[in-house]
């Protein structure tokens, strides 16, 4: 025993230290238990509130107090109007007309199928009155109707949305679209992303399994953290063709654009492929003409695509010709600047409003794939004409668009660093 006390005296501090550690661990364990129990309880409670059981109890209580008030939840069906819906609840025509005429006057009557209408009525001596009505008219706006004696107060309720910045990235397995959907990116953001990269990447040919993408963009969420709409793309990056291309959203002198690390705008003066989803079927060069049968220089590039596939203007320009022209069939000649013209042949029809002397924007639909003129099947014959000479569009080093210089470049560098820092933070939180 004395030995033991001696031992304690010698190792007193060590002993206290272990006691302290022991209490600390016990404390941490208990705290953790309490926390997880509270979380579980809250979760259970929420599940309970949403459960059928709770609904039954609630209905039972309301049934039994014989309240003159009744609450209805209705899911809007196709072709429903507010008037039609209210008629389902035995409300008098005068009451309905009184309300709906006011709502129509305020242009707040457009309900859409699938949305929820909440209605509260009061029944007195067989006369049913609308007490309140609540329904959404778009993703962020709802209409609230409250009875005020013999009249109604109608007000618009606009959901307060919170801006949130998110980063999504993924490896491409099949195609960009499905891989982006898989990582939770909204479809409209994917389309915008594809447009931004449309000048850099040919989505039909360049993408290989294992290529990657990253998108940093804005979401607007409601208080339940549900995404109500999306905002702008701030940064977009792709690893494709064995190199990484990173593009930054930058606004300067009221013009927004996407620029790469060198401050070069992604928008080139001409697109390589003015058509989506096509297969290159015949390239520029000597070939045996499929109809004429003899060797002839093919002075353009053919893209096979189904009849009706939209054809885009490959750059901003003015239409010089839009008519039937020799073996080209329906043909468009577009002048971009003093150096470049592009031509499009065999179209089934021209785009809306497309005729001589009309200005078009890059990416605008100017016509549709067809097989008019000397052609064996639906395809686009595409020519790039440089200084009056037809050149191979696929080999062409296309001139790039704007490059940021001086003050613009300095501002861009500052903005780019800010985006990179924010991006690194968001990636960490992912
Ligand atoms: Zn051709």
């Amino acid at each position: 025993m004395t030995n033991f006390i001696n031992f304690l005296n010698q190792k007193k501090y060590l002993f206290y230290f272990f006691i302290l550690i022991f209490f600390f661990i016990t404390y941490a364990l208990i705290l953790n238990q309490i926390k997880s129990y509270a979380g579980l309880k809250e979760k259970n409670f929420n599940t309970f509130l949403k459960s059928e059981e709770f609904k039954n109890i609630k209905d039972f209580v309301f049934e039994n107090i014989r309240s003159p008030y009744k609450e209805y939840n209705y899911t809007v069906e196709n072709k429903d109007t507010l008037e039609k819906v209210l008629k389902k609840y035995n409300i008098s025509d005068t009451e309905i007309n009184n309300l709906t005429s006011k709502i129509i006057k305020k242009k707040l009557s457009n309900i859409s199928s699938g949305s929820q209408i909440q209605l509260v009525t009061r029944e007195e001596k067989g006369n049913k009155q609308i007490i309140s009505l609540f329904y959404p008219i778009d993703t962020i706006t709802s209409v609230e109707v409250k009875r005020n004696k013999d009249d109604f107060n109608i007000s618009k309720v606009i959901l307060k949305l919170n801006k949130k910045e998110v980063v999504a990235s993924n490896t491409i397995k099949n195609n960009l679209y499905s891989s982006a959907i898989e990582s939770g990116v909204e479809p409209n953001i994917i389309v915008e992303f594809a447009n931004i990269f449309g000048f850099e990447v040919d989505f039909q040919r360049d993408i290989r399994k294992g290529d990657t993408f990253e998108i940093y963009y804005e979401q607007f969420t409601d208080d339940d953290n549900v995404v109500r709409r999306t905002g702008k793309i701030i940064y977009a990056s792709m690893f494709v063709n064995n190199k990484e291309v990173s593009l930054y959203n930058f606004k300067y002198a009221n013009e927004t654009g996407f620029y790469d690390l060198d401050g070069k705008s992604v928008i080139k003066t001409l697109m390589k492929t003015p058509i989506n989803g096509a297969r290159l079927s015949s390239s520029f060069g000597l070939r045996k003409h499929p109809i004429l049968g003899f060797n002839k220089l093919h002075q353009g590039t053919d893209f096979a695509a189904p009849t009706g596939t939209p054809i885009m203007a490959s750059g901003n320009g003015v239409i010089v010709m839009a008519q039937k022209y020799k073996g080209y069939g329906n043909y468009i000649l577009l002048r971009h600047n003093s150096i470049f013209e592009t031509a499009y042949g065999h179209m089934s029809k021209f785009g809306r409003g497309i005729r001589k002397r009309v200005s078009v924007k890059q990416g605008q639909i100017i016509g549709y794939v067809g097989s008019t003129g000397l052609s064996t099947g639906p395809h686009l014959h595409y020519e790039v004409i440089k200084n009056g000479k037809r050149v191979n569009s696929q080999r062409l080093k296309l001139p790039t668009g704007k490059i940021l210089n001086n003050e613009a470049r300095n501002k861009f560098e500052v903005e780019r660093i800010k985006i990179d820092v924010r991006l690194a933070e968001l990636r960490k939180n992912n």
Side-chain angles (χ1 to χ4, degrees):
M1 192 66 194
T2 13
N3 273 353
F4 182 62
I5 288 165
N6 275 344
F7 170 78
L8 275 188
N9 276 336
Q10 274 163 26
K11 309 269 177 179
K12 199 160 63 184
Y13 294 107
L14 197 69
F15 179 69
Y16 288 155
F17 178 69
F18 277 115
I19 291 281
L20 202 68
I21 293 274
F22 172 75
F23 276 113
F24 179 73
I25 290 173
T26 316
Y27 169 75
L29 280 174
I30 290 171
L31 194 73
N32 195 26
Q33 277 297 313
I34 289 171
K35 262 192 185 161
S36 75
Y37 177 68
L40 197 72
K41 222 168 84 176
E42 192 183 340
K43 211 173 127 204
N44 279 343
F45 183 64
N46 280 335
T47 322
F48 173 69
L49 280 184
K50 282 180 196 150
S51 71
E52 195 62 22
E53 194 184 349
F54 175 71
K55 197 181 157 289
N56 289 340
I57 292 172
K58 197 177 90 176
D59 289 350
F60 178 76
V61 170
F62 276 107
E63 242 359 88
N64 276 277
I65 56 175
R66 287 189 195 287
S67 163
Y69 292 94
K70 280 216 162 68
E71 190 190 333
Y72 305 97
N73 280 299
Y74 177 82
T75 307
V76 177
E77 283 166 19
N78 249 345
K79 289 181 189 163
D80 267 344
T81 61
L82 213 50
E83 202 179 339
K84 261 192 193 170
V85 174
L86 293 174
K87 277 195 172 143
K88 290 177 202 265
Y89 297 102
N90 299 322
I91 298 161
S92 75
D93 286 354
T94 16
E95 173 94 347
I96 291 175
N97 290 340
N98 185 10
L99 175 61
T100 52
S101 65
K102 281 184 179 122
I103 288 175
I104 289 165
K105 221 188 240 164
K106 291 193 166 202
K107 297 200 171 81
L108 297 174
S109 62
N110 50 320
I111 51 172
S112 56
S113 90
S115 63
Q116 292 282 331
I117 294 184
Q118 290 155 35
L119 170 70
V120 175
T121 60
R122 183 178 59 200
E123 200 165 352
E124 234 176 320
K125 294 168 203 147
N127 180 24
K128 212 170 180 183
Q129 286 184 322
I130 298 166
I131 296 303
S132 74
L133 179 67
F134 189 83
Y135 58 92
I137 50 172
D138 59 46
T139 51
I140 59 160
T141 322
S142 294
V143 176
E144 191 177 55
V145 176
K146 286 209 161 126
R147 184 171 207 95
N148 183 10
K149 288 173 192 151
D150 283 332
D151 202 3
F152 296 102
N153 292 336
I154 302 166
S155 54
K156 234 176 13 180
V157 182
I158 294 170
L159 200 67
K160 209 187 125 277
L161 294 179
N162 314 302
K163 189 162 96 177
K164 204 171 125 188
E165 292 180 343
V166 291
V167 172
S169 59
N170 205 352
T171 302
I172 299 172
K173 279 152 222 137
N174 273 312
N175 57 62
L176 172 78
Y177 192 82
S178 60
S179 302
I181 288 283
E182 192 186 273
S183 54
V185 181
E186 292 75 11
N188 60 312
I189 290 287
I190 303 172
V191 170
E192 209 185 315
F193 179 87
N195 278 337
I196 294 167
F197 272 97
F199 300 93
E200 298 287 329
V201 174
D202 184 331
F203 284 98
Q204 301 302 317
R205 278 177 283 273
D206 293 345
I207 303 274
R208 299 275 175 277
K209 248 190 194 135
D211 286 345
T212 59
F213 71 88
E214 186 172 42
I215 316 175
Y216 164 25
Y217 66 101
E218 298 168 337
Q219 282 179 339
F220 291 87
T221 55
D222 63 18
D223 288 340
D224 294 324
N225 219 11
V226 174
V227 179
R228 293 292 177 161
R229 62 184 184 84
T230 54
K232 61 173 189 280
I233 293 181
I234 298 163
Y235 165 92
S237 163
M238 278 196 97
F239 183 85
V240 64
N241 290 334
N242 284 317
K243 63 171 184 173
E244 187 169 353
V245 182
S246 298
L247 304 172
Y248 296 80
N249 187 327
F250 178 61
K251 189 174 174 182
Y252 185 74
N254 264 329
E255 243 185 87
T256 301
F258 283 86
Y259 298 87
D260 68 10
L261 290 166
D262 301 321
K264 255 192 238 156
S265 162
V266 278
I267 296 186
K268 308 269 194 299
T269 48
L270 293 178
M271 285 157 94
K272 249 185 178 162
T273 310
I275 185 169
N276 272 329
R279 173 175 63 82
L280 190 138
S281 55
S282 176
S283 39
F284 192 94
L286 210 61
R287 65 154 185 190
K288 194 172 185 173
H289 194 278
I291 289 176
L292 303 175
F294 49 83
N295 278 341
K296 197 172 179 267
L297 181 64
H298 185 226
Q299 294 195 318
T301 308
D302 289 347
F303 297 100
T307 300
T309 305
I311 297 163
M312 298 175 279
S314 71
N316 290 355
V318 178
I319 292 173
V320 180
M321 278 171 79
Q323 63 184 78
K324 274 208 161 52
Y325 181 58
K326 298 186 192 166
Y328 288 108
N330 288 328
Y331 171 86
I332 287 179
L333 180 64
L334 193 55
R335 185 180 187 275
H336 301 288
N337 50 39
S338 57
I339 300 165
F340 284 102
E341 288 169 304
T342 51
Y344 312 78
H346 310 307
M347 294 183 173
S348 57
K349 59 176 185 176
F350 298 120
R352 184 186 286 226
I354 296 300
R355 61 195 127 71
K356 207 172 162 173
R357 281 191 285 276
V358 164
S359 289
V360 292
K361 279 237 180 305
Q362 187 163 53
Q364 185 180 335
I365 293 167
I366 52 171
Y368 300 88
V369 170
S371 191
T372 54
L374 271 185
S375 164
T376 49
H379 75 282
L380 165 69
H381 171 92
Y382 175 55
E383 288 177 359
V384 174
I385 303 155
K386 187 180 179 184
N387 295 319
K389 242 188 94 189
R390 292 182 185 90
V391 293
N392 186 345
S393 61
Q394 303 306 296
R395 286 245 190 92
L396 194 64
K397 282 259 174 261
L398 289 169
T400 49
K402 208 160 64 186
I403 298 178
L404 298 170
N405 283 320
N406 308 325
E407 195 207 343
R409 182 67 198 267
N410 292 337
K411 285 202 165 148
F412 172 70
E413 290 305 319
V414 173
E415 185 61 31
R416 189 169 72 76
I417 291 165
K418 273 193 208 159
I419 291 174
D420 280 339
V421 169
R422 189 86 187 94
L423 195 57
E425 278 169 19
L426 287 165
R427 278 185 195 133
K428 240 187 336 198
N429 296 338
N430 258 6

